[in-house]
Amino acid sequence: VHSLGNVAVFDTDTRIPPEKIAYALNPFLPDDIVVQDSCEVPGDFHPRHCDSRKTYEYKILNRTFPLPTRRLDTYFLYGKLNVERMQAAGDYLGGLHDFKSFCSNKKMKKSSVRTIYDIEIREEGQEIRMTYTGDGFLYNMVRILTGTLIEVGRGDRKPVEMMEILERCDRGAAGFTAPARGLTLLEVRY
């Protein structure tokens, strides 16, 4: 899974000014990790414990043959998908629901109730971009939602089946878990 909008919080007693910490850290990080910004936050701020909106994007390369240059950030899928059917299915998932069917953590102790504000599925050339915005997501939830919507796009499921999947609260009712390589956390807004 990739991230363009991940937030980390840590305590430090360094003399480095907060806005310069990103500059100090980046030379020591591997090439695939770059800190984009650094700043001081209130002592009680914790990104996992405050209200937020998260936006994830899943990219599918939908063409006859894979592209080696896209192997790390897209899921290659042969066979035309019906994006209109996928969007119709996604529309059933909006709002406040129990998403237990879309979580792969069998021992989850917290509530599986979440709010999805928006699911947008669009085709851009040979790429299908699926954007999910919600108040939080369960373990593998976006990847399971994506796998289920792919099954709709293939014609293996009907869009209206999303209601039954939600009602069953059973991981076995939903589709496959799409691979991690197509998923990116785009943004977290607090």
Side-chain angles (χ1 to χ4, degrees):
V1 174
H2 311 285
S3 177
L4 298 176
N6 201 23
V7 175
V9 173
F10 60 92
D11 295 321
T12 182
D13 58 3
T14 185
R15 293 183 182 166
I16 300 171
E19 65 278 1
K20 299 291 184 186
I21 290 177
Y23 294 97
L25 288 175
N26 281 329
F28 300 100
L29 296 173
D31 290 343
D32 58 349
I33 299 175
V34 179
V35 177
Q36 299 296 311
D37 191 18
S38 56
C39 64
E40 187 170 358
V41 296
D44 62 348
F45 175 78
H46 193 292
R48 294 191 66 198
H49 304 299
C50 58
D51 291 338
S52 65
R53 279 183 179 239
K54 296 178 182 166
T55 301
Y56 284 91
E57 180 178 66
Y58 198 95
K59 293 184 282 191
I60 299 169
L61 187 61
N62 194 212
R63 61 192 313 265
T64 305
F65 297 105
L67 288 173
T69 57
R70 300 303 309 276
R71 75 187 187 286
L72 300 178
D73 72 337
T74 59
Y75 171 43
F76 167 70
L77 195 62
Y78 173 77
K80 184 78 172 143
L81 295 175
N82 185 322
V83 174
E84 289 179 12
R85 283 175 51 90
M86 294 168 72
Q87 183 64 64
D91 291 344
Y92 285 105
L93 300 168
L96 180 70
H97 300 286
D98 187 336
F99 285 95
K100 190 171 186 174
S101 294
F102 296 96
C103 178
S104 62
N105 182 356
K106 295 178 182 175
K107 297 180 181 180
M108 190 178 69
K109 295 178 182 173
K110 293 183 178 180
S111 171
S112 50
V113 174
R114 299 290 186 273
T115 300
I116 290 186
Y117 302 115
D118 186 49
I119 296 177
E120 181 185 0
I121 305 168
R122 61 197 183 284
E123 199 166 8
E124 298 176 359
Q126 297 177 324
E127 189 172 280
I128 297 171
R129 291 178 177 245
M130 307 169 74
T131 307
Y132 303 85
T133 301
D135 64 356
F137 294 89
L138 305 168
Y139 186 68
N140 284 336
M141 180 174 159
V142 174
R143 292 172 53 201
I144 297 166
L145 288 167
T146 298
T148 307
L149 293 172
I150 287 171
E151 291 176 1
V152 171
R154 286 181 172 157
D156 300 332
R157 292 179 184 265
K158 295 176 183 170
V160 71
E161 287 182 50
M162 297 305 112
M163 291 173 33
E164 180 185 334
I165 294 169
L166 286 168
E167 289 170 6
R168 289 196 37 203
C169 291
D170 173 17
R171 172 63 188 98
F176 73 99
T177 305
R181 67 182 162 270
L183 183 61
T184 301
L185 172 62
L186 291 182
E187 178 183 40
V188 181
R189 283 184 282 161
Y190 299 97

